[in-house]
Amino acid sequence: MNAKILVVDDETDLELLIKQKFRRQIREKKYEFSFAHDGAEALEVLSRQPDTDMVLTDINMPGMDGLTLLIKLHESNPMLKAVIVSAYGDMDNIRTAMNRGAFDFVTKPVNFEDLELTMQKTMEYVMQLRQTLQAIKENDILRMYVDESVLTFMNKPEFEKSLSASETVVATVLFIDICGFTAISERESPDTVVRLVNRYFDVMVKEIIGQGGYVDKFMGDAVMAVFRGDYHFDRAVEAALAVRTQIATLEDNLQNNLNYHPQVSIGINTGEMVSGNIGSATLRRLDYTVIGDAVNTAQRLQSVAQPGQIIILESAQQKIAESFTCERIGEVTLKNKAEPAVVYNVIK
């Protein structure tokens, strides 16, 4: 434990005593002390040394006293913990110090063994706080990369028992591809490509989330989304219609004064699929996703969709015939399917 400690006391004798009593710990770099003679000087030191771990402060000092310093410390850095080291050990001073954020109280004359135990306890608490804040920060970062449904799945008892836990669900899968974007990627600069694709993805994701779906993954310039729960197929179609409408309103100026009007091709399929962790537990590389024939078919439907089309199977069209307007396209051959499939394009 390497602790940076600021000692605030107008008595120079305390500085000498600390350097003597903790000389071994100082040599071993267990403790690193700095000193100030009142609250105002302490704040100046902290501004130069923001990585200070704790403050040991007296109460009665010229200029800014220790109780006032406690208020300033809490205002500037609530994480910084202070221990009062004072001869004024009456209950009123102790209560005032604690109410103003002191972590502990040591009375003078100082018992240095007790002081070190207090310092160790304070540092342990500070480290626990930092670990908690780091976990919160990492969790917030994780949420940028992992959908809420994954985190929910990770909290289930079966996940704790087995990383390979899975479940069979009836859901709807939506594949969206940005048409012609490969050609854009070949002739535009990488930063332009990333800016454009992120802009389009942002539009898509908002509509997907708006209909209660979640993004399973981004694949180059394509998106895979999953819808579960009540009316999952209807909500997937609503999201697809909204994505098509919103993307159609966008326009971007590219090199050579070319205007790019993005369009999307979409495939949707619904049915039974397996949901769970897919990958290698040995490598600690897992992907929470859905797999199955229904998922593969959705991707095949997207591959035959033309720009602006939302393609579904005839069996799916019959389920939403009363709610959505669709046009029959006819039979198409889907990759790895023995029989041709009759497909429809969702109009509105």
Side-chain angles (χ1 to χ4, degrees):
M1 183 186 298
N2 181 12
K4 293 189 176 182
I5 304 167
L6 171 61
V7 180
V8 189
D9 199 304
D10 62 323
E11 297 180 8
T12 55
D13 290 346
L14 181 62
E15 179 176 342
L16 293 175
L17 281 172
I18 284 178
K19 289 180 177 179
Q20 289 175 1
K21 295 294 184 180
F22 294 112
R23 59 180 179 270
R24 179 179 58 81
Q25 294 91 327
I26 293 172
R27 286 198 305 268
E28 295 173 353
K29 299 188 182 301
K30 182 178 180 181
Y31 300 136
E32 180 180 330
F33 290 99
S34 55
F35 299 89
H37 299 100
D38 65 12
E41 185 181 350
L43 294 176
E44 292 177 3
V45 173
L46 291 172
S47 67
R48 298 193 301 269
Q49 302 175 12
D51 58 344
T52 300
D53 296 304
M54 79 175 82
V55 174
L56 306 179
T57 180
D58 193 7
I59 290 180
N60 189 23
M61 297 178 291
M64 184 186 296
D65 62 32
L67 296 177
T68 304
L69 175 61
L70 287 176
I71 297 175
K72 299 294 185 181
L73 292 178
H74 183 73
E75 291 175 349
S76 61
N77 185 1
M79 284 288 296
L80 186 60
K81 296 304 171 186
V83 175
I84 296 293
V85 182
S86 174
Y88 295 89
D90 58 278
M91 186 56 65
D92 285 343
N93 274 313
I94 291 175
R95 285 185 58 82
T96 300
M98 294 303 183
N99 288 334
R100 295 188 180 186
F103 182 76
D104 209 334
F105 202 109
V106 175
T107 56
K108 292 181 178 179
V110 177
N111 180 323
F112 283 92
E113 290 183 0
D114 178 59
L115 176 61
E116 184 167 20
L117 288 174
T118 303
M119 290 160 51
Q120 291 174 353
K121 181 180 70 173
T122 306
M123 271 304 299
E124 288 172 359
Y125 183 75
V126 169
M127 294 303 296
Q128 289 174 357
L129 279 180
R130 289 178 177 171
Q131 289 170 2
T132 299
L133 286 177
Q134 181 65 21
I136 293 172
K137 180 180 178 181
E138 290 172 353
N139 188 52
D140 289 340
I141 295 172
L142 177 65
R143 289 176 184 275
M144 295 176 64
Y145 289 89
V146 180
D147 188 85
E148 189 71 30
S149 60
V150 180
L151 300 178
T152 300
F153 177 78
M154 289 166 63
N155 286 323
K156 291 183 177 181
E158 55 265 30
F159 178 81
E160 297 177 1
K161 296 177 183 177
S162 174
L163 285 173
S164 59
S166 62
E167 57 183 337
T168 300
V169 299
V170 176
T172 298
V173 179
L174 169 73
F175 282 90
I176 308 173
D177 184 70
I178 305 172
C179 302
F181 199 76
T182 301
I184 299 295
S185 303
E186 291 174 350
R187 66 170 183 262
E188 297 295 324
S189 63
D191 59 326
T192 298
V193 171
V194 171
R195 176 180 59 81
L196 290 177
V197 77
N198 283 342
R199 181 188 182 200
Y200 304 151
F201 281 164
D202 194 44
V203 171
M204 299 177 194
V205 170
K206 287 178 181 177
E207 300 301 338
I208 291 167
I209 293 175
Q211 290 297 331
Y214 69 89
V215 173
D216 184 280
K217 60 175 65 72
F218 297 102
M219 306 171 295
D221 56 3
V223 176
M224 173 183 169
V226 180
F227 293 78
R228 298 171 64 169
D230 295 338
Y231 301 102
H232 52 84
F233 185 47
D234 292 59
R235 291 186 285 109
V237 175
E238 293 281 13
L241 290 168
V243 167
R244 182 174 65 184
T245 299
Q246 293 299 323
I247 290 294
T249 65
L250 303 179
E251 179 181 345
D252 289 286
N253 294 320
L254 306 180
Q255 294 181 8
N256 302 319
N257 296 320
L258 294 177
N259 292 332
Y260 177 58
H261 299 271
Q263 287 185 289
V264 290
S265 59
I266 302 174
I268 308 176
N269 195 37
T270 187
E272 193 173 88
M273 56 197 70
V274 176
S275 174
N277 284 317
I278 307 298
S280 170
T282 302
L283 291 175
R284 297 183 179 273
R285 291 295 300 273
L286 298 170
D287 185 15
Y288 178 75
T289 187
V290 289
I291 60 173
D293 183 65
V295 180
N296 295 337
T297 299
Q299 189 168 29
R300 304 289 188 264
L301 291 173
Q302 182 277 313
S303 67
V304 300
Q306 297 299 309
Q309 287 187 335
I310 302 171
I311 301 300
I312 60 176
L313 293 174
E314 183 176 37
S315 57
Q317 183 272 335
Q318 294 171 0
K319 297 178 181 179
I320 60 170
E322 295 182 355
S323 302
F324 298 91
T325 301
C326 304
E327 65 175 359
R328 187 179 189 275
I329 293 178
E331 291 187 348
V332 296
T333 300
L334 302 180
K335 185 179 178 180
N336 295 332
K337 293 292 182 180
E339 301 294 331
V342 177
V343 299
Y344 281 72
N345 177 33
V346 182
I347 304 300
K348 60 180 179 178

